[in-house]
Amino acid sequence: MRIGFIGIGAMGNPMAKNLIDAGFDVTVWNRSGEKCQPLVAAGARQADSPAECATADVLITMLADDAALDAVLREHDLIGAMAAKTVHVNMATVSTATAVELAQRHASAGKAYVAAPVLGRPDLAAAAKLNIVAAGPADAIEQARPALGRIGAKVWPCGDEPVRANAIKLATNTMLVSAVESMAEATAMTAAHGIEPGDFLEIITSSIFSCPAYLGYAPAMEKRDYDNPQGFKLRLGAKDIDLALTAAHAGNVPMPMSATARERLAEAMAAGDGDKDLSVLAETARRRANV
């Protein structure tokens, strides 16, 4: 199977590497071309333009946001460059409005489109343990499944409308940010009563909150080490909550907890913590509580 992969960032790099290691014929492209070199050394071919990736059996895009994806699609006429039987799998987190537009643009051109955002951080991407939420035509998902199966631990089909996958991803990230914020606040509260953060975090993550959302962020909170290159940058969490709130408002769905969590992220970014791991919310809570 031939795979075209566009977007070699913190997530895209290990995802593409897993495809190469699995023996797929992988062609890669990134706006900053030097980021492709480690993948070329591993066996990929570097394309001169995104259009060269578009004629593969499966075209995967993993770009930073709506604007980056739209720029590549328009500047390089990526949909037009797709072969008749190519399936475009967009694995990035985008807005629900963009999700609907992308599905319409592909349908108008007679091309197959699947939304398949991932649940997990770069460390899980490297281990091929991502969860992939896929929505789109069933036959298109099946065509892409061999590749998706090498990227993640499980594929979760969720219907034939691509926007459903993006709604699930945004909803999941709002829950994640709220979970990390609640853990940060609880850690600050117990610290005010003389309890070491590590002791409190060990109790909760070894008992009723023994799940990835808490286990993944507790170690950084305990060590007060928030510069994890494999982490989830706080500013990206803010971007995702903004997208989720916009989607919610479009459907008159109130999300007061998410709105409050977004304010905490704004507070952290104002303190210069936007490029740190999401667990840095613990420092925001400590500053607020003066502990």
Side-chain angles (χ1 to χ4, degrees):
M1 177 180 284
R2 296 179 302 120
I3 308 292
F5 203 109
I6 296 175
I8 310 302
M11 292 292 289
N13 186 299
M15 291 163 65
K17 178 64 163 53
N18 285 333
L19 291 170
I20 296 166
D21 291 345
F24 289 102
D25 179 358
V26 181
T27 300
V28 297
W29 184 88
N30 192 72
R31 193 174 292 275
S32 300
E34 65 275 7
K35 290 187 177 181
C36 296
Q37 290 309 304
L39 297 176
V40 171
R45 185 177 73 85
Q46 183 172 356
D48 292 326
S49 72
E52 290 184 39
C53 296
T55 58
D57 300 304
V58 176
L59 167 64
I60 296 175
T61 50
M62 190 60 173
L63 296 160
D65 51 31
D66 293 43
L69 177 59
D70 185 67
V72 170
L73 289 172
R74 293 186 186 278
E75 289 175 17
H76 301 277
D77 186 25
L78 203 62
I79 297 175
M82 288 172 59
K85 295 184 178 180
T86 299
V87 173
H88 177 195
V89 181
N90 176 34
M91 304 192 76
T93 302
V94 299
S95 69
T96 53
T98 291
V100 171
E101 180 190 354
L102 286 173
Q104 292 173 343
R105 287 166 65 180
H106 284 77
S108 296
K111 305 295 174 65
Y113 176 70
V114 172
V118 301
L119 309 181
R121 304 189 302 179
D123 55 342
L124 292 180
K129 292 183 178 179
L130 296 168
N131 278 275
I132 301 170
V133 183
D139 57 345
I141 293 175
E142 288 308 307
Q143 181 171 325
R145 189 180 286 275
L148 298 180
R150 293 293 185 171
I151 291 173
K154 184 167 183 175
V155 178
W156 299 84
C158 55
D160 58 0
E161 296 180 16
V163 67
R164 294 180 179 180
N166 296 109
I168 289 172
K169 173 59 188 286
L170 294 175
T172 301
N173 277 11
T174 64
M175 293 176 67
L176 174 62
V177 172
S178 295
V180 175
E181 168 63 17
S182 68
M183 183 165 60
E185 292 180 11
T187 302
M189 187 274 280
T190 53
H193 289 274
I195 300 166
E196 287 295 322
D199 293 338
F200 170 70
L201 291 168
E202 182 180 8
I203 291 169
I204 64 168
T205 58
S206 299
S207 56
I208 61 173
F209 292 108
S210 180
C211 60
Y214 294 94
L215 289 167
Y217 294 91
M221 288 186 179
E222 178 183 356
K223 298 174 184 176
R224 303 181 77 171
D225 180 7
Y226 311 110
D227 293 318
N228 179 9
Q230 297 295 313
F232 180 31
K233 290 185 178 182
L234 185 139
R235 63 177 173 80
L236 296 180
K239 182 262 294 184
D240 290 352
I241 286 193
D242 286 340
L243 296 179
L245 290 174
T246 298
H249 294 161
N252 295 319
V253 177
M255 297 185 73
M257 291 181 65
S258 296
T260 298
R262 179 60 177 86
E263 293 305 307
R264 298 296 184 236
L265 296 176
E267 183 180 349
M269 289 190 290
D273 292 336
D275 282 323
K276 295 182 179 179
D277 183 69
L278 184 63
S279 56
V280 78
L281 285 172
E283 290 304 304
T284 307
R286 290 173 73 106
R287 285 193 297 266
R288 198 183 306 126
N290 194 30
V291 295

